[in-house]
Amino acid sequence: MKANYDRLVVLDTETTGMNREGGPHYQGHNIIEIGAVEIINRKLTGRHFHAYIQPKRAIDPEAISVHGITDAFLADKPRYAQIHQAFVDFIQGAELIAHNAPFDVGFMDYEFKNLGVSLQTTELCTITDTLAMAKKIFPGKRNNLDVLCDRYGIDNSRRTLHGALLDAEILADVYLLMTGGQTNLSFNAGTETDNASPMAPRTVKRQKSLKVIPASADEMSAHEARLDFIEQNGSCLWRQ
């Protein structure tokens, strides 16, 4: 399916751990949380996908220390098979944005394979790795999400533990600032929201206040004259 480049899905996952035996990191481990937020035309829409998933194995203690998700918490959560189609429907056709994307994509492809689905993430959407982007912008420096938040003035003080949805929201702000210097922190009013999980508020550290220079009397007079000219030749939106 051709990707819709105006529609981005910023994604993060949490997992049971990483393989320490030399094979691909996803072998023997599972995704336990998926968080994804939607951006259309560089605006956060408020639509998101969020799910906790009961894995087929115990969570490594090292992983619990990172994300705080326990086996007991996931005991009554759905298996991946139960959320697969809703997840695929949400990301299909979009440009998928993830920080260290090979990690998340590797796990996604592994879950597809375990489900017996002949499918890879690259068949659903294009992939953009913000870690690779950051390494080009800031070569030779640390480029984890916390560091990027500090560089771009994004307040991530709520991020005491990793959480897939919160990290996806923060990464959305980082990505917009990395790629254009502007981010819309307000969701579009009245937009449909997927799933019932609440969106964590994001705040941006205020930079130094801009000096406001009011227009002079001559400038105001010239402005009004220009509006008069526009009004003579049709509708003037500035006077409606």
Side-chain angles (χ1 to χ4, degrees):
M1 179 175 180
K2 184 178 179 181
N4 175 6
Y5 293 105
D6 290 333
R7 180 176 184 263
L8 312 179
V9 171
V10 186
L11 172 140
D12 186 62
T13 62
E14 302 296 345
T15 65
T16 57
M18 294 181 65
N19 188 359
R20 300 301 184 187
E21 297 178 1
H25 56 261
Y26 43 82
Q27 286 188 355
H29 286 284
N30 297 103
I31 295 174
I32 56 174
E33 185 186 10
I34 300 172
V37 298
E38 180 186 67
I39 297 174
I40 294 181
N41 296 328
R42 296 190 61 80
K43 293 181 181 179
L44 288 155
T45 67
R47 291 186 70 238
H48 68 283
F49 180 90
H50 183 230
Y52 289 107
I53 302 163
Q54 184 186 156
K56 297 179 180 179
R57 53 153 295 158
I59 304 171
D60 286 355
E62 181 183 7
I64 295 174
S65 69
V66 173
H67 50 58
I69 301 172
T70 64
D71 299 303
F73 176 78
L74 296 177
D76 61 347
K77 301 303 184 288
R79 295 286 190 180
Y80 175 77
Q82 296 172 264
I83 63 95
H84 169 76
Q85 192 58 54
F87 175 51
V88 166
D89 290 345
F90 189 79
I91 67 172
Q92 190 165 21
E95 180 180 356
L96 193 70
I97 313 294
H99 202 65
N100 191 16
F103 178 90
D104 300 283
V105 171
F107 270 99
M108 290 161 63
D109 288 346
Y110 188 60
E111 294 291 354
F112 296 162
K113 181 180 178 181
N114 286 342
L115 197 60
V117 177
S118 179
L119 182 68
Q120 289 194 322
T121 306
T122 52
E123 298 173 54
L124 295 169
C125 42
T126 59
I127 311 296
T128 296
D129 183 4
T130 51
L131 178 58
M133 290 173 58
K135 286 180 177 179
K136 291 182 180 179
I137 299 171
F138 307 106
K141 297 184 179 181
R142 296 174 60 228
N143 287 294
N144 62 44
L145 192 54
D146 288 332
V147 168
L148 291 176
C149 285
D150 187 58
R151 286 191 192 132
Y152 285 105
I154 296 173
D155 182 4
N156 65 342
S157 57
R158 289 174 55 89
R159 194 172 178 260
T160 54
L161 289 174
H162 290 256
L165 186 58
L166 177 59
D167 282 2
E169 292 169 345
I170 292 172
L171 181 58
D173 289 339
V174 169
Y175 173 80
L176 290 172
L177 288 167
M178 287 175 69
T179 57
Q182 184 176 1
T183 176
N184 186 330
L185 298 180
S186 298
F187 297 128
N188 294 341
T191 305
E192 175 188 359
T193 301
D194 289 350
N195 297 338
S197 179
M199 302 284 281
R202 298 176 320 285
T203 56
V204 173
K205 294 176 183 177
R206 298 296 180 188
Q207 305 298 323
K208 292 182 180 179
S209 299
L210 294 175
K211 184 178 181 180
V212 178
I213 303 175
S216 68
D218 288 343
E219 289 170 332
M220 289 298 297
S221 178
H223 175 70
E224 291 300 325
R226 183 63 179 172
L227 295 186
D228 289 340
F229 175 79
I230 294 172
E231 205 161 41
Q232 289 172 5
N233 292 273
S235 176
C236 180
L237 295 175
W238 290 272
R239 284 182 172 169
Q240 290 182 5

